[in-house]
Amino acid sequence: MTQRNYPDFYRPFEDMHPLSPEQLETSRQKFDKLFDSFVLDHMKDVDIIKLAEDMPQEANLLKIIEVDSQPYSLWLRDKERQESNTENVFRKDEIFHREIAVQRKDSEGQGRERWSYRLCDDGIVRRYDGGDVWAKQEEKKKLGMQDFPTLRVHEKPDYVELSKARNSNIENSIQNTRLEADMGLNNQPVSPDEIAGLKAFIDSSTVL
């Protein structure tokens, strides 16, 4: 683990470099292969949801895993592609169709640092870092606000509420998120080496 409680394969944004088209395509292929393999291994636990009649269907898979005695939640989402007007609101690097999200759990089972790998609408895999979710929620509670429910170890997720809260959070913070992305501080393309590190991390885990 690094000082910031991320696994060793995680590359800080300041250490990320521009990637060639070939590297971007390799990352996408590695990401899709990892996603498909994990879902196939746990197909019986996949939940299919549809938040509203006019919204795309989603396949969700959430597992609690352990790596070197450290628990994490692992959330995979696959969203059905369909024509919509979201392009008028979001940029292609803000619309994603597949996601692998990882969140560290502390000794009390609270969800802490959360980051995710997203296959975006332009075919590029990017990493979005949400930071220490529990600490942010505690600060917002003090201000009378809360926008993302946290999960304890072994707690069964309510995918509808999680998705609604998460989408609301993204929409509310889109300008800040966009500014961070433009400055290279978040939502950046991921190298094939980091996807390989993510695969090794998941492959070495124990599903609790």
Side-chain angles (χ1 to χ4, degrees):
M1 298 291 289
T2 67
Q3 291 182 344
R4 293 182 296 168
N5 292 321
Y6 293 92
D8 292 336
F9 71 86
Y10 176 103
R11 298 265 62 83
F13 285 109
E14 57 267 24
D15 293 345
M16 298 174 106
H17 305 289
L19 302 173
S20 68
E22 292 76 18
Q23 288 174 307
L24 294 173
E25 175 60 18
T26 300
S27 291
R28 185 194 65 77
Q29 292 178 7
K30 286 180 176 291
F31 174 87
D32 273 338
K33 186 175 181 179
L34 172 59
F35 190 103
D36 290 337
S37 176
F38 193 83
V39 169
L40 184 62
D41 287 343
H42 301 276
M43 184 64 71
K44 66 181 178 60
D45 299 317
V46 173
D47 289 320
I48 306 298
I49 67 168
K50 193 175 182 67
L51 298 180
E53 194 60 36
D54 60 344
M55 294 184 68
Q57 180 174 277
E58 292 185 13
N60 284 268
L61 174 62
L62 190 143
K63 290 289 184 179
I64 302 300
I65 63 173
E66 188 174 81
V67 180
D68 296 331
S69 300
Q70 169 64 59
Y72 299 86
S73 64
L74 182 66
W75 186 10
L76 283 72
R77 303 171 67 201
D78 194 351
K79 301 198 296 183
E80 178 185 26
R81 285 173 168 80
Q82 68 175 29
E83 294 297 326
S84 69
N85 61 358
T86 55
E87 292 83 359
N88 299 324
V89 179
F90 299 105
R91 305 189 309 199
K92 285 186 176 295
D93 62 344
E94 295 165 343
I95 302 171
F96 65 92
H97 303 288
R98 279 186 160 185
E99 176 186 43
I100 300 177
V102 184
Q103 185 171 32
R104 184 179 71 89
K105 301 289 186 179
D106 65 17
S107 59
E108 302 298 320
Q110 299 287 358
R112 305 302 296 259
E113 294 81 13
R114 183 185 191 280
W115 68 102
S116 65
Y117 299 87
R118 303 168 168 180
L119 178 56
C120 297
D121 201 43
D122 55 4
I124 294 175
V125 179
R126 293 178 170 83
R127 191 186 74 223
Y128 179 83
D129 195 325
D132 188 335
V133 175
W134 182 85
K136 289 181 177 180
Q137 287 297 100
E138 288 299 297
E139 184 62 30
K140 289 187 175 183
K141 283 180 183 178
K142 294 178 182 178
L143 301 175
M145 301 183 295
Q146 187 173 10
D147 57 18
F148 200 98
T150 58
L151 290 176
R152 293 180 178 275
V153 174
H154 298 307
E155 181 179 355
K156 183 171 176 58
D158 182 331
Y159 289 112
V160 173
E161 290 305 313
L162 278 172
S163 295
K164 284 181 178 178
R166 189 177 184 286
N167 291 338
S168 176
N169 187 38
I170 291 174
E171 292 176 13
N172 291 337
S173 63
I174 185 171
Q175 295 304 323
N176 289 335
T177 300
R178 191 168 289 176
L179 179 61
E180 287 181 344
D182 291 343
M183 295 175 65
L185 302 176
N186 212 340
N187 204 39
Q188 297 301 298
V190 180
S191 71
D193 286 344
E194 182 158 346
I195 298 298
L198 173 65
K199 180 182 185 303
F201 175 81
I202 293 175
D203 287 347
S204 70
S205 70
T206 300
V207 177
L208 301 179

